[in-house]
Amino acid sequence: MTQKSDTLIIGGGAIGLCTAYYLAERGLSVTLVERDEIGSACSDKNAGLIAPSHIIPLAAPGIVAHGVKWMFKRKSPFYIKPRLSLDLLSWVWQFMRACSESRMRKSVPVLYELLQTSHALFEQLDKAGVIAGCGLSKKGLLMLYKNRKTFETERREAELAREIGLQVNELQPHEIENLETGISTSAVGGVYYEQDAHLQPEAFIMGLRTALEQRGVILLTGVEVTGFEFANGQISSALTPDAKFTADEFVLAGGAWSPDIVRGLGLRLPVQAGKGYSVTVENPKQKPNIPAILVEARLAVTPFSDSLRFAGTMELAGLDPAISRRRVHAMLDAISDYYPNFDTSGLQSAEVWSGLRPCTPDGLPFIGRFKKFSNLVAATGHAMLGISLAPVTGRLVADILTRSTPGCDLSPLRVDRFN
Ligand SMILES: Cc1cc2nc3c(=O)[nH]c(=O)nc-3n(C[C@H](O)[C@H](O)[C@H](O)COP(=O)(O)OP(=O)(O)OC[C@H]3O[C@@H](n4cnc5c(N)ncnc54)[C@H](O)[C@@H]3O)c2cc1C
C-alpha cells in the first residue's frame, strides 16, 4: 500500500505535533507517523515548564567538573553508563568542546530568541483555543538554593539573564516566603524568573492532537519507519512494515531515536538520549503554588490543578527506558530538604515515569535541511527544552518547507554543524 501527502512527519511527540500544526495552518497536506501512541515518549509526563529563563545551554563551563564528581556518587542527578560506543565517545568529546565560556556565550542569545518566540506562540495557541485545556499558567519559576555558596555562584546566571533582558529577582528567605504561600521552604535564597510559565504536558499533547484532527492532518499510530527509498539526494518514500509513504518533504522528529531512524541513509546525527524521571503525586495535602527548581538537587517541581510533579536526573545510558529505583529515591530524598513540611507519604504509591531527552552536544536543537538529502528536515535535539521550544520549532520547520523567511536565525541550528 502506498500513501501520498505533501509532508510526512516521523514522530508524534511535541515537536512532530507542533510541526504538523504549523504546516496544516499553511495549507499543506500532512501525514504524521508514530510507531507507538501519540505523545507517549518524552513529551508525556515531563515537568511541563515553559522556561524562557533557560538561556544557558546544557553545555556550559563548569559542567564537566560537576559531571565527573557526580559520576562517582551513587545518588547524583547525573550519570553516564560506561559502554563502548563510538557515537557516545564522539558526543562526549563534542560536548566538552562546547563547554567553553565563548561557545556558551554564543548559544545564549540563540536560545533566548527561540525561547522568547516560542513563549509568544504559546500565548497565541492558548488564545486560539488550541491548548485551552492544558492549564497554561504564568506564575514564573523559582530557583531555590539550600547552600549559600551555590546561591552566590549561580547568581552569575541571574546576572546574565538580566543582561539579556529577562525579568529576574533575587530573593532572601523572607521574600521567598511572601511569594510562595502554598508551602514553606528552607531555602537560603532564591532567584525568581517572572516570565516563565507551565502547563500540563499530557493535556498539551491532547490539545494539539485534537487541533490536528480538526485540520485534516492524518495521524497514524503503531506505524514505525524502518527505512527509506532515495535517489540523487532526494528521499522518495519512507518505508514501514506494511506501507510505503511518499511525500515531497520529510521531517525527522523522532526525538532520541532520530539517529537510528536516519542511520540507513548514511547520516550520523550526534544525539544522545538523556534519561530523566518524573514522579507525580495526586492530590497532595500541600503543594507549592509556583513551579520551582531545587537547584543543588537538580529537581523540577511543577504544581498542576490536582497533582504535583517532581522531575529530574540526566542519565546517558542509551535508549534503555528502564527505571533505576535507586536514582528515583535519591531524587525524592531531596524534597524534604527544601520543603520540610511536605508530606512524603504519598510518594510511595506515586506514579514513576521515565523519558529520553534528545540531547545534542552543544545544547542547541537541530532544525534545518540535511545537505545530503535536500527534502529531509531535522526537528530534534531539544534536550531539556522540548516543550518550551515545540511551537517555535514547528513554525520554523513550516518556514523552511514553505520557503518563507525564517522567523529566527537558523545558522546556529544547522544539522551538519559538528561534521
Ligand atoms: C524528566 C524530564 C523532564 C522534562 N521537563 C521539561 C520541561 O519542564 N520543559 C521542557 O521544555 N522540556 C522538558 N523535558 C524535555 C522534553 O520532554 C523533550 O525535549 C521533548 O519531549 C522532546 O520531544 P520530541 O517530540 O523531540 O521527542 P519525543 O516526545 O520522544 O517524540 C519522538 C517520537 O518519535 C517516535 N518514533 C521514534 N522512532 C520512530 C520511528 N522509527 N517511526 C515512527 N515514530 C518513531 C517515538 O515513539 C516518539 O513518540 C523534560 C524531559 C524529561 C525526561
Side-chain angles (χ1 to χ4, degrees):
M1 187 179 61
T2 304
Q3 299 196 25
K4 164 96 180 101
S5 53
D6 293 336
T7 308
L8 182 81
I9 299 175
I10 306 164
I15 302 297
L17 295 173
C18 277
T19 301
Y21 176 81
Y22 286 102
L23 286 172
E25 285 289 282
R26 296 198 191 175
L28 272 77
S29 70
V30 182
T31 300
L32 181 150
V33 288
E34 163 55 51
R35 69 164 181 198
D36 201 335
E37 292 296 326
I38 295 295
S40 57
C42 199
S43 304
D44 190 15
K45 295 186 170 59
N46 55 71
L49 301 175
I50 297 163
S53 60
H54 280 42
I55 50 166
I56 312 271
L58 195 58
I63 193 75
V64 174
H66 261 307
V68 171
K69 225 169 23 187
W70 279 329
M71 277 293 288
F72 296 100
K73 287 194 177 161
R74 283 164 58 84
K75 293 185 163 190
S76 76
F78 175 77
Y79 177 67
I80 301 182
K81 185 177 176 183
R83 65 209 136 98
L84 272 179
S85 154
L86 264 184
D87 286 346
L88 175 66
L89 282 176
S90 143
W91 188 96
V92 170
W93 169 243
Q94 296 286 3
F95 177 80
M96 285 165 59
R97 285 171 53 116
C99 284
S100 68
E101 181 78 21
S102 64
R103 291 272 298 269
M104 184 270 280
R105 283 196 176 261
K106 271 192 194 152
S107 298
V108 167
V110 178
L111 281 175
Y112 175 76
E113 189 188 14
L114 290 172
L115 286 162
Q116 289 292 323
T117 311
S118 216
H119 188 261
L121 292 174
F122 269 109
E123 292 192 345
Q124 284 178 16
L125 290 171
D126 195 33
K127 271 201 195 119
V130 173
I131 54 169
C134 73
L136 180 67
S137 170
K138 290 163 224 156
K139 290 188 175 170
L141 177 70
L142 252 176
M143 310 290 286
L144 296 177
Y145 300 88
K146 275 296 291 176
N147 180 325
R148 192 143 274 284
K149 218 167 119 197
T150 357
F151 182 38
E152 296 304 328
T153 39
E154 304 272 325
R155 280 164 92 176
R156 268 186 337 126
E157 284 195 9
E159 203 44 59
L160 202 63
R162 199 175 287 121
E163 270 170 34
I164 204 160
L166 288 167
Q167 277 292 329
V168 190
N169 299 318
E170 283 157 38
L171 305 177
Q172 296 304 318
H174 71 276
E175 294 169 304
I176 298 174
E177 228 167 84
N178 291 343
L179 190 68
E180 177 49 90
T181 51
I183 194 166
S184 63
T185 100
S186 50
V188 300
V191 175
Y192 180 53
Y193 290 90
E194 268 181 38
Q195 209 197 345
D196 285 23
H198 69 285
L199 50 67
Q200 229 270 346
E202 299 93 310
F204 172 56
I205 294 294
M206 281 303 293
L208 284 172
R209 183 190 184 133
T210 308
L212 295 181
E213 285 165 351
Q214 287 164 350
R215 284 161 180 77
V217 172
I218 300 171
L219 298 172
L220 301 173
T221 55
V223 177
E224 179 169 12
V225 171
T226 49
F228 296 91
E229 286 181 337
F230 55 92
N232 306 322
Q234 286 269 311
I235 293 175
S236 51
S237 54
L239 307 173
T240 72
D242 301 317
K244 191 193 244 194
F245 292 86
T246 61
D248 299 327
E249 304 272 9
F250 295 81
V251 178
L252 176 67
W257 297 269
S258 299
D260 284 0
I261 298 172
V262 295
R263 210 177 293 277
L265 293 169
L267 299 170
R268 286 180 82 92
L269 198 60
V271 169
Q272 284 291 318
K275 183 159 57 179
Y277 304 110
S278 77
V279 175
T280 307
V281 184
E282 299 300 331
N283 300 308
K285 284 188 196 131
Q286 240 194 343
K287 63 177 162 59
N289 289 326
I290 301 173
I293 291 189
L294 314 182
V295 176
E296 291 84 357
R298 300 292 197 272
L299 190 63
V301 186
T302 321
F304 301 126
S305 58
D306 48 10
S307 63
L308 181 63
R309 181 165 295 163
F310 300 96
T313 83
M314 174 67 89
E315 279 178 53
L316 298 186
L319 291 168
D320 176 9
I323 290 170
S324 156
R325 293 278 155 188
R326 175 161 51 84
R327 278 186 199 279
V328 173
H329 285 147
M331 180 176 119
L332 299 179
D333 281 350
I335 298 170
S336 324
D337 292 344
Y338 293 80
Y339 300 121
N341 298 336
F342 181 75
D343 176 8
T344 54
S345 59
L347 291 171
Q348 314 308 325
S349 54
E351 185 191 359
V352 182
W353 168 88
S354 77
L356 300 176
R357 305 174 184 95
C359 301
T360 62
D362 59 2
L364 296 179
F366 287 129
I367 304 174
R369 291 189 186 276
F370 285 84
K371 265 198 188 134
K372 199 170 161 194
F373 294 99
S374 57
N375 64 341
L376 176 63
V377 175
T380 188
H382 295 75
M384 348 244 284
L385 292 172
I387 301 302
S388 305
L389 294 177
V392 69
T393 301
R395 208 184 62 174
L396 284 169
V397 174
D399 289 339
I400 295 170
L401 295 191
T402 55
R403 293 179 166 72
S404 316
T405 308
C408 300
D409 179 13
L410 290 174
S411 56
L413 314 175
R414 283 186 342 267
V415 72
D416 57 0
R417 64 184 184 269
F418 296 101
N419 295 353

